[in-house]
Amino acid sequence: MTEQIVDIIEANMPCSSDVESVARGAGGEAGRVVAAETATDVATRLTDGALAAKIDKHGVGQVTLDNLSNEVKTAMAGGATLIWDETTNDLNAELAMRPRYGYVHEESLMLFDLDDPHASGVYVNSTSGRVNTAPDNAYRIYVVPVEGHATLYVNGDANTSLQVSFTSRYNDPTTMANGDHLIGYISGWRANEQTRPAAGHPYGVPVPEGSRYAVCSSNGMDATYLSVVTGINKVRRTYHDPRIAALDGAKLDAVRSRNLFDPTNARYRIDGYYLSQDTGVLVARDVYMSVFMPVEPGTHLSFSAGFERVCFYRDWVGELAGVGLQPGSLLSVFVAGTTQGSLQDYAVPDGAHMMGVSIKTANTARAQIEVGSASTPYVSGRPGISVTDIHDLDRTLTVGPGRMYSTISEAVAAASDSDEILVYPGVYNESVHAWGKRLRIHGTSKRDCILRHSAMHYADPPLEMSRGELSNLTVIGDDSGTPTDSSRAYCMHVEDDTAAGGSLFVHDVVFENAVHACVGIGLRNHYAIEFRGCEFHATGAANTAVYAHDHETSTHGEDDQHLAIIDCSLETAGGTVIKLQSQEITGNHATLTAQRNILVNTANPSNLVTMSKWDGRDEGQEGLLGSYAWSLDATSRMNTADVLNATAA
C-alpha cells in the first residue's frame, strides 16, 4: 500500500526526498500524524489531470479523484484520517454527496439541505470555535464548503442566533458534542439585529483566507438561506449556469429584431409589483407588473417608451411562478437600476445576468425591448431569450431539482427538433417517449444521471428514441410491477417510421435490464444508429444485450441500413449477446460495423452472436457474413467474438 502512495506522489508532482520518506512511513504508528498532514497536503493538490494516465483500482480506465482506491486514501492519511473530506468510505456514497459538498458551486443556491448530515441540540460559538450545549433541541449545526469564495451570502431575515465559524478542515457535524473544539478553526461571524441589512437584502459575510468550510448553527436553520452564488430572500431556485448563459448570449446576439419583452409568459412575470431602482426589491403596486429575462454584461439594449423601472441583478432566477414572493423580496444580488424607461443603446452593466423591467399593465400592449442601438417599429411580444421558450432556434432545456423541468418526459414534451435536454444528477423514475423528435439528451454524469422504469410492459419501456443523440447517463429496466402479458420491454426501444432518413448516436451510456434485451432496434431505410463507449448488462438468464432487425416494411427494402457498435462492453447471463434477425424483405440490406468490443456471456461463453430469419429458422453465426439481409462491414476488427472480425481481403 505504501508503494502505491509513493508511486502516485512521484508520478504526479515533484517530490522531495523528505516527502517521499514521510510517505513511505505512512503506515507506522510513529509517523501517523506527520504522514496524515503531508498526505492531505499532497491530496489537495492532486487533480484529475495529474492522474489521467494511471490505472484505477479495478485495473482499467483512468484514475481520477473519484475512483482512486479508498484503501490508498486511508493509507495516505496514516490509516486514520479520511482525506478528500468524505464522511464515508463508500465510493458510491461519496459520489452521491458531491453536489452537497461544493463540487458545483456555480450551479447550486442552497449550500445545505435540512436532510443533510447535522448535529442537534448543540451550537458553535463563533468567537471561539467551541461546541456548546444549546438552550433547546431546536438548534442545529451544518457544515458546508466555502473554499474559493470571497463572500458567503445569508438571507437578511435569518435568525439572530445564527453563528458561522470558518475552518480549514472538515468537521463531521454528526459527531459534535459539548466541549469539542473545531479542528482548523479560523474565525467567526454572527447575525446581528443592529447591523441587519435593508429589507430583502442579504448579509454579505466575508470568507477569511484559508477557509474551506463554514460551520453554521442556529435555532432557525429551517428559515436560513446560505449560498456562495447569490444573496436572496424567499427564493431558492436561483443560479447562473455558464453553459446556459453562453447559449442565451448567443441567441440574444443572433436575433436582433426580436422583442425580448414578453408579458404573456407567466413563468417570468410578477403581477402587482414594481422594482425599486435604488435597491432592486419588489414594491407592491396593483397597476404594475415586473418581467424578468436573462442578459449578458456589455450587451446593448434599446427600450420603447413606457418602462418605468429597469433593474439588473447578478444571477438569473430560473422561474418565478409559485415561489411565494412578498414586498421587499430581492431576487438576486442587485447590480444597478434606473428610472429612465425609454433607454436607447443602453449597455448591460458588468456582472449582471438578469434584467427586471417594471411597467404599468395599461402600457404593455406596445412595449418593446430589443438588442441594438435603437428600437425599431413595434414587434409583438414573443418568448424572447428565455431558454424554455425560444421556438425557432436550438435550445437547451435543463432537467433536475431546481431546474426548468423536474422530469425528462416534461422536457421531451416541450422540446423541438435539435433541442438539447441537459439532465442533472438524480434518479428519474419514468418512461420517456421521444419517438418522432430529433433530440439531444445528455446527462451531466454517466453514473449519477439515472433513468429507471419497470421493463415488465413491452409498450412502456424506460426510453423510446430513434433520432438525435443520447449520452452520459444510465438507463435501467427493472422487474418491478405486475406484468399484464408475456412481453417485456427493452431499456431503449429504437423503432419509429419517422426515423427513416435519419440517425441516432448513442455514446457513454450504461444500459441494464433484468427481464429483456438492453436495446431493441428496428432499422429503417436510409438510417444509421451507432453505439460508442457504451455498457450493456443483460442480467436475466436468457436475455440479449443488443437485438436488431432490418426494416420490416413488406412493400420494399433498401440497401442503406446501418448498425455500428464501437468500443463497447456487452455482457449477458446466458442469452445471446448480439442477436440479429432478418425480415426477409426483398431488397433489404443491413450492415453491422463492430470495432474493439468486449462480448461476455457468463453462463454460456460460446453464445455470443446469432443470426436468424424472422421465423427463427436456420439460426447460426454464419448468417452474419452474407446470407439473409445482414453483412459485416470490412472495418470490423479487434472484437472478442471472432465472427465480428472481418477477414482481410
Side-chain angles (χ1 to χ4, degrees):
M1 187 63 67
T2 301
E3 294 299 324
Q4 289 180 274
I5 300 169
V6 176
D7 289 344
I8 292 173
I9 295 174
E10 289 179 338
N12 294 286
M13 62 180 63
C15 182
S16 69
S17 58
D18 291 339
V19 173
E20 180 179 341
S21 176
V22 171
R24 290 188 183 279
E29 185 65 31
R32 180 183 299 275
V33 175
V34 177
E37 295 290 342
T38 303
T40 300
D41 179 62
V42 169
T44 56
R45 289 182 282 125
L46 284 174
T47 65
D48 282 350
L51 295 170
K54 307 305 170 190
I55 302 301
D56 71 14
K57 64 182 180 181
H58 303 295
V60 296
Q62 296 177 340
V63 167
T64 69
L65 294 185
D66 289 339
N67 63 25
L68 185 65
S69 168
N70 280 296
E71 292 79 10
V72 173
K73 297 177 188 179
T74 302
M76 290 178 70
T81 305
L82 289 172
I83 59 177
W84 322 119
D85 305 307
E86 65 253 33
T87 58
T88 173
N89 220 26
D90 179 78
L91 181 62
N92 291 329
E94 288 178 33
L95 294 175
M97 285 162 34
R98 283 172 65 111
R100 288 184 177 175
Y101 290 101
Y103 289 86
V104 284
H105 296 300
E106 74 281 4
E107 295 170 4
S108 66
L109 170 64
M110 285 291 288
L111 287 181
F112 72 92
D113 184 283
L114 293 178
D115 293 328
D116 283 348
H118 63 274
S120 299
V122 289
Y123 73 95
V124 176
N125 188 312
S126 58
T127 61
S128 66
R130 178 185 171 88
V131 180
N132 298 318
T133 299
D136 58 69
N137 286 328
Y139 276 78
R140 291 186 176 190
I141 299 177
Y142 290 87
V143 179
V144 297
V146 295
E147 185 176 17
H149 298 279
T151 304
L152 182 67
Y153 295 105
V154 182
N155 60 305
D157 58 354
N159 192 304
T160 55
S161 70
L162 175 65
Q163 300 192 55
V164 182
S165 298
F166 295 98
T167 71
S168 62
R169 298 288 297 276
Y170 178 74
N171 292 256
D172 185 348
T174 63
T175 64
M176 291 184 181
N178 181 46
D180 290 347
H181 190 274
L182 298 182
I183 301 173
Y185 171 76
I186 296 174
S187 63
W189 173 91
R190 181 171 182 171
N192 191 310
E193 187 72 49
Q194 284 70 41
T195 60
R196 186 184 295 276
H201 284 251
Y203 289 102
V205 183
V207 177
E209 186 175 351
S211 299
R212 298 181 64 205
Y213 295 91
V215 181
C216 310
S217 57
S218 170
N219 63 350
M221 293 301 291
D222 57 344
T224 299
Y225 300 86
L226 205 69
S227 176
V228 293
V229 177
T230 183
I232 60 162
N233 188 355
K234 304 299 181 186
V235 180
R236 289 177 178 267
R237 288 175 287 183
T238 304
Y239 61 91
H240 177 59
D241 188 323
R243 285 168 292 187
I244 302 300
L247 184 70
D248 286 335
K251 291 171 180 175
L252 195 62
D253 290 336
V255 190
R256 295 184 178 275
S257 63
R258 175 70 59 85
N259 184 2
L260 305 181
F261 177 71
D262 179 23
T264 67
N265 193 339
R267 293 166 64 102
Y268 310 113
R269 186 191 74 231
I270 301 173
D271 295 323
Y273 290 94
Y274 73 85
L275 298 168
S276 167
Q277 76 277 9
D278 298 318
T279 62
V281 301
L282 291 168
V283 180
R285 190 66 60 83
D286 288 342
V287 297
Y288 281 83
M289 71 167 59
S290 294
V291 177
F292 294 83
M293 59 205 74
V295 293
E296 283 299 298
T299 302
H300 287 249
L301 302 175
S302 294
F303 302 73
S304 64
F307 295 101
E308 299 188 15
R309 304 286 192 279
V310 179
C311 293
F312 296 93
Y313 304 84
R314 198 184 82 176
D315 294 285
W316 163 240
V317 177
E319 182 175 340
L320 303 174
V323 295
L325 295 168
Q326 62 185 30
S329 292
L330 180 71
L331 298 181
S332 179
V333 174
F334 180 60
V335 175
T338 178
T339 58
Q340 300 175 26
S342 185
L343 298 166
Q344 301 291 296
D345 200 30
Y346 187 85
V348 175
D350 289 343
H353 295 284
M354 178 171 72
M355 178 176 68
V357 296
S358 299
I359 190 170
K360 289 182 179 179
T361 54
N363 295 336
T364 60
R366 298 190 62 80
Q368 183 164 321
I369 306 171
E370 45 181 324
V371 177
S373 60
S375 57
T376 56
Y378 174 72
V379 179
S380 60
R382 294 174 57 192
I385 58 173
S386 159
V387 175
T388 57
D389 292 309
I390 297 177
H391 296 304
D392 56 355
L393 292 173
D394 297 350
R395 300 174 294 168
T396 296
L397 287 67
T398 57
V399 178
R403 303 289 167 177
M404 298 183 231
Y405 299 95
S406 59
T407 68
I408 302 173
S409 295
E410 291 173 341
V412 167
S416 302
D417 277 0
S418 297
D419 284 349
E420 177 185 34
I421 295 174
L422 189 62
V423 182
Y424 283 82
V427 179
Y428 300 88
N429 295 296
E430 57 179 310
S431 178
V432 177
H433 303 276
W435 281 351
K437 291 187 176 182
R438 186 180 69 252
L439 302 176
R440 295 170 292 150
I441 302 177
H442 302 309
T444 56
S445 171
K446 180 167 67 174
R447 304 293 178 182
D448 297 332
C449 300
I450 301 171
L451 171 60
R452 187 183 192 111
H453 190 67
S454 169
M456 301 299 283
H457 305 279
Y458 179 82
D460 194 34
L463 177 62
E464 291 178 334
M465 185 176 184
S466 293
R467 293 189 299 159
E469 184 176 354
L470 179 73
S471 72
N472 210 29
L473 42 73
T474 295
V475 184
I476 299 175
D478 61 40
D479 58 359
S480 62
T482 302
T484 57
D485 54 39
S486 60
S487 299
R488 301 294 180 263
Y490 310 111
C491 288
M492 182 171 73
H493 195 179
V494 183
E495 186 165 13
D496 174 16
D497 285 342
T498 66
S503 64
L504 176 63
F505 180 36
V506 183
H507 61 96
D508 299 296
V509 174
V510 180
F511 296 99
E512 300 178 11
N513 200 331
V515 297
H516 199 19
C518 293
V519 175
I521 304 164
L523 294 176
R524 291 298 184 263
N525 291 330
H526 311 293
Y527 178 72
I529 178 171
E530 177 178 321
F531 296 91
R532 187 180 290 267
C534 295
E535 299 177 30
F536 301 83
H537 304 281
T539 58
N543 297 333
T544 295
V546 174
Y547 163 69
H549 64 73
D550 56 341
H551 188 19
E552 63 183 7
T553 300
S554 59
T555 55
H556 70 283
E558 297 287 348
D559 186 19
D560 190 16
Q561 304 172 38
H562 304 278
L563 167 63
I565 305 175
I566 299 172
D567 294 323
C568 294
S569 62
L570 305 94
E571 179 183 10
T572 67
T576 301
V577 180
I578 297 177
K579 184 173 183 177
L580 306 174
Q581 279 191 323
S582 169
Q583 303 289 336
E584 300 183 83
I585 303 300
T586 301
N588 258 4
H589 181 205
T591 300
L592 172 67
T593 301
Q595 298 175 3
R596 300 178 299 276
N597 296 299
I598 299 173
L599 281 68
V600 176
N601 187 327
T602 56
N604 186 359
S606 63
N607 185 20
L608 298 179
V609 181
T610 62
M611 169 66 205
S612 66
K613 296 180 181 180
W614 181 246
D615 59 11
R617 293 175 297 160
D618 303 325
E619 188 167 315
Q621 294 179 346
E622 293 76 17
L624 177 65
L625 300 179
S627 63
Y628 311 135
W630 285 91
S631 64
L632 187 67
D633 184 84
T635 64
S636 298
R637 63 188 185 279
M638 299 179 69
N639 301 284
T640 59
D642 289 339
V643 70
L644 298 182
N645 298 319
T647 304

